[in-house]
Amino acid sequence: STGKGKGKEPLNEPPSFAFAFDIDGVLLHVSKPIPGATETLRFLNDNHIPFILLTNGGGKLEADRVKDLSQKLGVHLTTDNFVQSHTPFRELVDGKDGGLKDKTILVTGSDYEKCRSIMESYGFKNVVTPADILWQHREVFPFGLASDYSDTTPSRPLPRPVHTSTAAHSNDHALKIDAMFVLNDPRDWALDIQVFADLLLSSQGYMGTYSSKNGNLTFPNHGYQQDGQPTLYFSNSDLFWSATWHLPRFGQGAFQAALAGVWDQLTNGTAPLKRHVIGKPFGETYRFAERVLAAHRSDSLILKGHSADVAGEPLRSVYMVGDNPESDIAGANGYKSEVGTSWHSALVKTGVWSAVRDGEKVLKGVKKPTVIVPDVKAAVMWALEREG
Ligand code: G3P
Ligand code: MG
């Protein structure tokens, strides 16, 4: 059915394609709109062509980041069509085997308190930051700090005391961290790596303990996280991203490599750091994004008077517009849609990838974009042309 509204003017057939836009290097350089970005998003909004923003960025509440983006780009955006690197973590609150809602989790990123409020907004009840630990045990980190957490950051008292005696072993009254999360690019790498490594070497995640089953080089299968260590989650693995400097800058993937490098030293390179990484290019994030896009498109079609059938029809195509072959392009090309949608990828020249610095030799296999275009406006023009 064409979903004609009753007694109203006939409804046009809604487009069966949509866009997924990366942010850094496609729409913005930090807070500076990239030429063509604003007019392109306005055009899509005015012509009711659906899109989502799919970024490996993070560190703010979705509502705050979307408000910020709307102001910077001069385009009305909502959280309905917005996915940050860590947004899918909210599915862990009530996830399988009971979820992490009532467990104690450690979180880090660019601002400890913002990271805590993000995870609490998802429904996690017991969120601890490295500054909380330092506030009660300053000797955990014997050096000066990048920020003076003890005085300025409103850290919180720890939910339980930390073990401070090597004689003590894990017991129910001490601080036990069940999972550790990196939400966006940490600032105080030295402190974060110390605390994360302490917990990876701990017995059962009890802060302040040490288990010979982990870093100990003599233990059979030495080095594997054998003693109930906290699960380690990263929200993306971007080694680089495109900011306002003319060369790409380190992203969260560099912090991940630093922590993995320290773990390698602790285990003499015999035990890979066990981690769970989401974000682009991983299918879990594209699946999450596809569902967000479908819900966003369906809601807007129903609001316009289309029937639920029409509103619920899967998209034929999604065009992912990105600047990083490792994440945006590889992710879109590698994603197997749950609903039979074909994902295509457009690589822009305004971000991480550079024709001069990298050349097309790196664009092999899953990193080979459907098309290479100058910028986001050209990417949308190409797709509209293709859609006829
Ligand atoms: O921290 C931001 C960076 O990882 C890349 O973000 O928007 O290019 O996916 P984006
Ligand atoms: Mg980017």
Side-chain angles (χ1 to χ4, degrees):
S1 87
T2 56
K4 285 188 173 31
K6 295 197 178 27
K8 295 179 200 152
E9 73 204 38
L11 286 162
N12 297 330
E13 196 68 26
S16 61
F17 64 94
F19 291 91
F21 293 113
D22 172 45
I23 295 178
D24 293 302
V26 172
L27 300 174
L28 290 173
H29 284 138
V30 187
S31 49
K32 209 162 125 245
I34 291 173
T38 298
E39 69 176 281
T40 302
L41 294 182
R42 282 186 182 158
F43 169 84
L44 295 175
N45 271 345
D46 295 348
N47 289 278
H48 310 296
I49 297 173
F51 64 85
I52 55 167
L53 301 185
L54 175 56
T55 176
N56 272 353
K60 286 183 181 170
L61 287 164
E62 277 72 14
D64 293 345
R65 182 78 205 279
V66 158
K67 191 160 153 251
D68 184 49
L69 287 169
S70 297
Q71 278 159 2
K72 283 178 180 137
L73 287 162
V75 177
H76 175 64
L77 299 165
T78 73
T79 52
D80 297 347
N81 55 336
F82 178 63
V83 177
Q84 295 193 102
S85 63
H86 44 71
T87 310
F89 283 149
R90 67 180 178 216
E91 297 195 322
L92 294 172
V93 175
D94 296 316
K96 51 186 185 302
D97 56 49
L100 293 173
K101 182 191 290 188
D102 298 315
K103 301 282 187 184
T104 304
I105 64 172
L106 179 79
V107 66
T108 189
S110 55
D111 178 305
Y112 290 144
E113 287 312 309
K114 283 188 184 151
C115 288
R116 191 195 324 261
S117 52
I118 290 165
M119 297 304 261
E120 289 178 339
S121 78
Y122 293 163
F124 295 96
K125 298 272 180 266
N126 306 307
V127 187
V128 172
T129 74
D132 296 344
I133 294 171
L134 216 53
W135 200 35
Q136 282 184 230
H137 300 279
R138 180 68 182 81
E139 62 280 21
V140 157
F141 188 73
F143 306 113
L145 293 164
S147 320
D148 188 0
Y149 303 112
S150 50
D151 300 340
T152 54
T153 313
S155 308
R156 283 206 203 140
L158 293 173
R160 288 171 182 271
V162 170
H163 269 293
T164 52
S165 137
T166 43
H169 197 57
S170 49
N171 69 54
D172 288 350
H173 306 296
L175 175 68
K176 174 177 166 45
I177 298 292
D178 300 295
M180 307 189 280
F181 290 84
V182 183
L183 297 196
N184 72 319
D185 317 280
R187 294 300 184 269
D188 201 337
W189 286 26
L191 169 60
D192 290 348
I193 287 180
Q194 177 65 74
V195 172
F196 274 60
D198 281 337
L199 285 159
L200 289 170
L201 291 171
S202 73
S203 172
Q204 306 284 326
Y206 285 94
M207 182 68 192
T209 64
Y210 174 82
S211 164
S212 60
K213 291 184 184 173
N214 300 312
N216 186 325
L217 307 185
T218 56
F219 189 77
N221 265 343
H222 51 227
Y224 279 89
Q225 293 151 347
Q226 304 214 5
D227 196 351
Q229 274 50 47
T231 315
L232 177 55
Y233 292 91
F234 291 95
S235 74
N236 83 60
S237 53
D238 284 356
L239 187 56
F240 293 113
W241 66 293
S242 171
T244 43
W245 185 239
H246 62 287
L247 294 171
R249 301 295 74 194
F250 280 151
Q252 189 186 141
F255 173 79
Q256 185 182 147
L259 179 58
V262 167
W263 179 254
D264 262 2
Q265 289 299 308
L266 291 169
T267 60
N268 203 20
T270 61
L273 177 63
K274 275 191 206 161
R275 68 201 93 167
H276 189 113
V277 188
I278 65 168
K280 299 173 287 183
F282 301 106
E284 184 175 348
T285 286
Y286 279 82
R287 190 166 311 107
F288 185 89
E290 184 171 56
R291 291 174 186 166
V292 168
L293 177 55
H296 168 66
R297 176 175 179 263
S298 165
D299 291 350
S300 54
L301 289 178
I302 287 178
L303 265 180
K304 277 204 240 7
H306 286 281
S307 70
D309 288 357
V310 168
E313 274 163 12
L315 286 161
R316 186 167 30 74
S317 307
V318 172
Y319 294 92
M320 173 84 219
V321 183
D323 69 304
N324 190 335
E326 304 293 331
S327 55
D328 307 312
I329 306 306
N333 292 344
Y335 177 54
K336 296 285 162 281
S337 163
E338 283 185 315
V339 291
T341 300
S342 303
W343 283 64
H344 310 283
S345 55
L347 176 63
V348 296
K349 298 179 179 178
T350 52
V352 165
W353 180 78
S354 148
V356 174
R357 200 175 46 248
D358 308 306
E360 299 204 11
K361 63 185 184 309
V362 299
L363 305 178
K364 287 203 183 69
V366 74
K367 295 176 201 167
K368 185 172 173 35
T370 313
V371 70
I372 300 175
V373 286
D375 55 29
V376 61
K377 182 177 174 185
V380 168
M381 307 284 281
W382 163 78
L384 294 177
E385 193 88 7
R386 197 172 182 280
E387 290 293 330

